[in-house]
């Protein structure tokens, strides 16, 4: 008996496969962090243009450019129509090439699944799906006119997407689970209904008249006190009803149409995500096309996507999705960031317009909101001058990754973002009040007289009650003690670099650079990491 037990244990030790560290999300303080091979990972990303990943030769010159920009993760589309050009016949050559070359360049990948929907439309569905509208029905407007949008209400549409997505995830696991080059999956792209708030196809209309699924009411009752205020107000307006169809509970309106559509989009996505994770359980997220203006009506923007005012619908019907993420093509950066960190959602910005200020926005999102990562869109298409801001920003953040990841979600990291209108911010950290201002507010530069100031920003990390790291561009910081009847003095400021998570000082900035001990300054156009030690006196 003992002998058999001994040899059984030896067999397991010799022949059992070593366990593979997984890619997963883990809570730290108030946020989730991405873990790759059991180590936290900060995405310094760049999203490729929609067509770039569809040709290996086109990609050949992009890889070294990404390395030169200090990018560590590429967000790359993978396309249903190229993976399954004929029904049931799968071709993963492009997927294999992306993984192999990313691995060779020590880059990670986030795959963007362009399946049933891309920017609302079904433009990446294969030709054999598009042409067979009887088998794969489309959404229609209220006049019965078909749209270039596959309807989420028909099982054939879901089953076709599930089949290819499962094959994709199975394939990624087979070739990459050991190396974990692919670290996350975006499920579809910017889902939403256009040009109306909901699908008016025959089946959609029939479902609209049926009672609301019981699971939705269970969620609403359980989370009544923590619902997003704009959604709670809609439910409250008609008396917090917990039975009935969509109009009976929420009233007859475009808002109700959007809530209805969001539930069934989310239900579709949850089933698709669950199927994909059953093959390879990578973190999966959704990106969102934001309203181009706050007063726009559903259908004027992609209705029913994972927008803040219907976030509760998505959380209820799509619990398998790990993150809801905003794409930015409007100027209200802080406003939308604030909406996407509610309800325990961790901020990740998978797509943002590539323009001036993207560096400051990166420092702000990662500092103020402990964002999981940041990714400008069409990153491969900028000139060297256009990409200089991202290159410089990512150079600093790449050095700071260990300390950023150590402090995320703990209240010891923050960030600021400035333009001419919003040019000052006070932060309470440690024993001090830190007053950040736009560098041009000093008035020393001729640019200070310009009508518009460049966007600047920085992050700050508290190392001790009187010691801070400030990194960014175009900011000035002054300090005062929280305690009354004392003043703050600057012991020293060192500009330096981080190597292997440790600060290596360079220039001592106690002279003109700190205005003889009055402030810490990173001039507009410069990018710097500075460490400051404070003291108090009376």
């Amino acid at each position: 008996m003992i002998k058999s037990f001994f040899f059984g244990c030896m067999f397991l030790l010799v022949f059992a496969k070593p366990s593979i560290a997984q890619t997963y999300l883990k809570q730290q303080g108030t946020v989730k962090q991405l873990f790759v091979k059991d180590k936290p990972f900060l995405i310094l990303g760049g999203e490729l243009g929609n067509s770039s990943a569809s040709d290996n030769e086109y990609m050949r010159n992009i890889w070294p450019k990404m390395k030169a920009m200090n990018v560590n993760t590429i967000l790359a589309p993978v396309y249903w129509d190229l993976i399954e050009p004929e029904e049931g016949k799968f071709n993963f050559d492009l997927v294999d090439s992306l993984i192999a070359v990313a691995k060779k360049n020590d880059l990670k990948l986030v795959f963007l699944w362009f399946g049933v929907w891309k920017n609302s439309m079904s433009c990446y569905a294969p030709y054999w799906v598009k042409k067979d509208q009887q088998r794969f029905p489309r959404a229609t407007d209220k006049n019965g006119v078909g749209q270039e949008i596959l309807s989420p209400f028909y099982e054939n549409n879901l089953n076709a997407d599930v089949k290819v997505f499962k094959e994709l995830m199975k394939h990624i696991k087979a070739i990459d689970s050991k190396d974990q080059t692919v670290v996350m999956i975006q499920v579809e792209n910017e889902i939403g209904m256009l040009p109306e708030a909901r699908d008016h196809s025959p089946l959609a209309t029939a479902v609209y008249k049926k009672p609301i699924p019981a699971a939705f009411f269970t969620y609403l009752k359980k989370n009544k006190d923590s619902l997003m205020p704009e959604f709670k107000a809609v439910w409250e307006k008609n008396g917090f009803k917990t039975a009935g169809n969509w109009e009976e509970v929420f009233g007859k309106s475009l808002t109700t149409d959007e809530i209805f559509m969001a539930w069934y989009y989310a239900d579709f996505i949850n089933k698709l995500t669950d199927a994909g994770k059953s093959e390879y359980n990578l973190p999966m997220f959704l990106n969102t096309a934001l309203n181009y203006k706050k007063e726009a009506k559903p259908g004027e923007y992609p209705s029913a996507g994972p927008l803040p005012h219907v976030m509760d619908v998505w959380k209820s019907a799509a619990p398998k999705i790990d993150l809801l993420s905003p794409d930015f093509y409007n100027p209200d950066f802080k406003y939308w960031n604030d909406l996407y960190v509610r309800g325990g959602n961790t901020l990740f910005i998978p797509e943002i317009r590539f323009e001036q200020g993207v560096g400051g926005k990166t420092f702000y999102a990662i500092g103020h909101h402990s964002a999981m990562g940041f990714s400008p869109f069409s990153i491969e298409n900028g000139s060297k001058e256009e990409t200089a801001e991202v290159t410089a920003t990512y150079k600093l953040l790449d050095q700071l990754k260990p300390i950023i990841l150590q402090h995320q979600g703990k209240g010891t990291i923050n960030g600021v973002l400035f333009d001419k209108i919003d040019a000052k911010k006070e932060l309470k950290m440690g024993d001090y009040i830190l007053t950040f201002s736009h560098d041009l507010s000093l008035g020393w530069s001729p640019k200070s007289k310009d009508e518009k100031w460049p966007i600047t920003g920085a992050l700050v990390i508290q190392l001790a009650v009187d010691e801070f790291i400030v990194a960014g561009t175009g900011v000035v910081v002054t300090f005062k003690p929280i305690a009354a009847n004392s003043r703050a003095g600057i012991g020293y400021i060192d500009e330096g670099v981080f190597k292997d998570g440790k600060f290596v000082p360079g220039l001592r900035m106690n002279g003109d650079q700190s205005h003889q001990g009055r402030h810490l300054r990173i001039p507009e156009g410069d990018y710097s990491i500075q460490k400051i030690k404070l003291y108090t006196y009376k």
Side-chain angles (χ1 to χ4, degrees), residues 411-430:
T412 51
I413 183 170
N414 212 324
V416 295
L417 182 66
F418 295 134
D419 55 21
K420 191 168 186 176
I421 297 171
D422 185 4
K424 189 174 183 178
K425 181 70 176 178
E426 284 190 354
L427 303 176
K428 290 184 178 180
M429 301 183 75

Side-chain angles (χ1 to χ4, degrees), residues 41-156:
F41 187 83
L42 182 67
I43 293 175
L44 306 178
E47 181 176 337
L48 300 178
N50 293 164
S51 301
S52 298
S54 66
D55 182 71
N56 288 331
E57 286 301 311
Y58 184 86
M59 285 291 297
R60 188 180 299 277
N61 295 323
I62 290 175
W63 298 102
K65 185 175 182 179
M66 296 300 99
K67 291 291 287 183
M69 291 175 63
N70 304 304
V71 168
N72 67 15
T73 306
I74 291 180
L75 281 71
V78 288
Y79 317 91
W80 185 9
D81 58 348
L82 295 183
I83 289 175
E84 195 182 8
E86 296 181 53
E87 187 172 4
K89 296 181 180 180
F90 303 101
N91 184 328
F92 294 108
D93 288 350
L94 284 172
V95 173
D96 293 347
S97 176
L98 284 168
I99 291 173
V101 183
K103 190 187 308 179
K104 183 178 178 181
N105 285 275
D106 194 28
L107 291 166
K108 297 299 182 184
L109 289 168
V110 173
F111 277 151
L112 318 178
W113 174 235
F114 285 5
V116 163
W117 299 296
K118 194 274 174 192
N119 290 62
S120 298
M121 304 302 169
S122 298
C123 45
Y124 282 99
Y127 176 66
W128 57 267
V129 171
K130 291 178 179 178
K131 70 178 182 179
D132 192 348
Q133 295 161 41
Q134 289 295 116
R135 186 177 167 202
F136 303 106
R138 297 172 179 234
T140 72
D141 66 14
K142 63 183 62 175
N143 297 315
V145 177
Q147 305 301 307
E148 192 67 81
I149 303 171
L150 290 171
S151 172
F153 293 92
Y154 294 86
E155 285 293 319
N156 282 351

